[in-house]
């Protein structure tokens, strides 16, 4: 942050101690069997808790530095594209395979049970085939949407909603936070202030606005649409 520190100082961070302890305990409870990581933040960018392992040794952290498939949470990006293209979530799409007899896979039997579903239903049930078709229709546009969030997209639009996007829990939380942040990608912040030996404030990090990744109207519409999967 460009703050020059004296020999005796304290750093005040945004992390919530109770939240951090709870998250750390959750990560430690699965260590040895699975890899786990978590990153929690306010929509405005303040980091509340993060854990990438059961220890703090080393500078590499799964919560911030790893790149793994984000699975169906990648449906966020074609969902943004649908709203920006003026398409309706009531539009109906086939649930039949798009290529070969089983591609893409459709593990949800509710998605396979109907020959045609609305995009709204496909979002609530996380149906792969309708959203893959939407991404193929959006083409380069959905690739460009992923890039807006400073996330590397896959080489094919069809892979975006079905696990082709790989990034960290921190980057994924940041992307979804933009919905509550009026369409602005929040700057992730850890440091609140640096305090000197006499309790004086040595420095305050400058808060910077992140880039706009969607309009506020799109952010509001996407946020409303995502209440479907939650319900």
């Amino acid at each position: 942050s460009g703050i020059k520190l004296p020999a005796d100082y304290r750093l005040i961070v945004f992390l919530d101690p109770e939240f951090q302890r709870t998250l750390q305990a959750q990560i430690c409870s699965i260590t040895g069997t699975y890899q786990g990581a978590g990153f929690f933040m306010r929509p405005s960018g303040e980091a509340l808790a993060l854990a990438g392992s059961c220890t703090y040794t080393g500078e590499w952290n799964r919560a911030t530095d790893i790149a793994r498939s984000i699975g169906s949470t990648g449906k966020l990006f074609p969902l943004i594209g649908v709203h920006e293209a003026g398409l309706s979530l009531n539009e109906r799409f086939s649930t039949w395979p798009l290529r070969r007899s089983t591609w893409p896979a459709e593990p949800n039997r509710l998605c396979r049970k109907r020959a045609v579903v609305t995009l709204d239903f496909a979002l609530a049930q996380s149906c792969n085939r309708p959203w893959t078709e939407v991404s193929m229709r959006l083409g380069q546009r959905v690739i460009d949407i992923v890039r807006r969030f400073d996330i590397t997209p896959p080489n094919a639009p069809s892979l975006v909603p079905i696990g082709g996007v790989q990034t960290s829990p921190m980057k994924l939380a940041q992307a979804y936070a933009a919905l509550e942040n009026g369409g602005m990608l929040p700057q992730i912040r850890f440091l609140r202030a640096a305090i000197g030996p006499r309790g004086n404030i040595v420095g305050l990090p400058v808060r910077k606005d992140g880039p706009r990744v969607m309009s506020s109207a799109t952010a509001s519409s996407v946020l409303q649409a995502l209440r479907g999967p939650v319900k």
Side-chain angles (χ1 to χ4, degrees):
S1 297
I3 298 170
K4 294 182 179 180
L5 297 171
D8 184 12
Y9 64 89
R10 289 181 297 152
L11 298 180
I12 311 301
V13 296
F14 290 103
L15 298 181
D16 181 291
E18 184 176 355
F19 201 165
Q20 179 66 32
R21 284 192 295 270
T22 301
L23 174 60
Q24 194 70 34
Q26 291 287 333
I27 298 300
C28 289
S29 71
I30 64 171
T31 296
T33 304
Y34 304 100
Q35 288 184 353
F39 188 94
F40 293 84
M41 59 183 286
R42 292 192 179 97
S44 50
E46 297 88 356
L48 297 174
L50 71 153
S53 70
C54 201
T55 66
Y56 288 99
T57 58
E59 296 180 0
W60 189 84
N61 191 316
R62 286 192 189 95
T64 58
D65 303 321
I66 206 169
R68 290 288 185 270
S69 169
I70 64 172
S72 282
T73 55
K75 289 181 173 67
L76 168 68
F77 305 112
L79 177 58
I80 292 170
V82 162
H83 282 85
E84 291 183 345
L87 301 176
S88 171
L89 289 179
N90 291 321
E91 188 170 345
R92 300 170 73 82
F93 283 80
S94 170
T95 59
W96 287 95
L98 297 167
R99 296 175 187 158
R100 303 190 299 275
S101 61
T102 58
W103 190 91
E106 192 66 270
N108 189 338
R109 64 179 180 80
L110 293 177
C111 299
R112 299 192 306 269
K113 192 174 182 180
R114 308 182 185 189
V116 177
V117 298
T118 64
L119 275 183
D120 202 26
F121 179 90
L123 180 65
Q125 298 297 330
S126 195
C127 302
N128 287 334
R129 291 167 184 171
W131 281 102
T132 301
E133 185 177 346
V134 166
S135 295
M136 292 167 68
R137 187 184 296 186
L138 291 171
Q140 183 61 36
R141 179 183 296 207
V142 77
I143 295 292
D144 293 339
I145 290 172
V146 177
R147 287 201 179 103
R148 288 182 209 166
F149 291 82
D150 193 29
I151 293 174
T152 302
N155 56 13
S158 60
L159 300 178
V160 171
I162 55 174
V165 177
Q166 298 190 27
T167 191
S168 67
M170 179 180 72
K171 285 277 192 178
L172 184 59
Q174 183 185 32
Y176 272 82
L179 300 175
E180 276 278 13
N181 202 39
M184 303 290 289
L185 192 67
Q187 175 200 20
I188 297 175
R189 298 184 298 138
F190 297 91
L191 183 62
R192 183 188 294 268
I195 308 297
R198 299 180 180 178
N200 55 310
I201 297 177
V202 176
L204 297 170
V206 177
R207 180 176 177 178
K208 301 176 183 177
D209 290 329
R212 176 166 290 283
V213 290
M214 70 192 100
S215 69
S216 57
T218 295
S220 178
S221 296
V222 169
L223 197 62
Q224 181 63 33
L226 286 172
R227 297 186 189 281
V230 176
K231 290 179 181 178

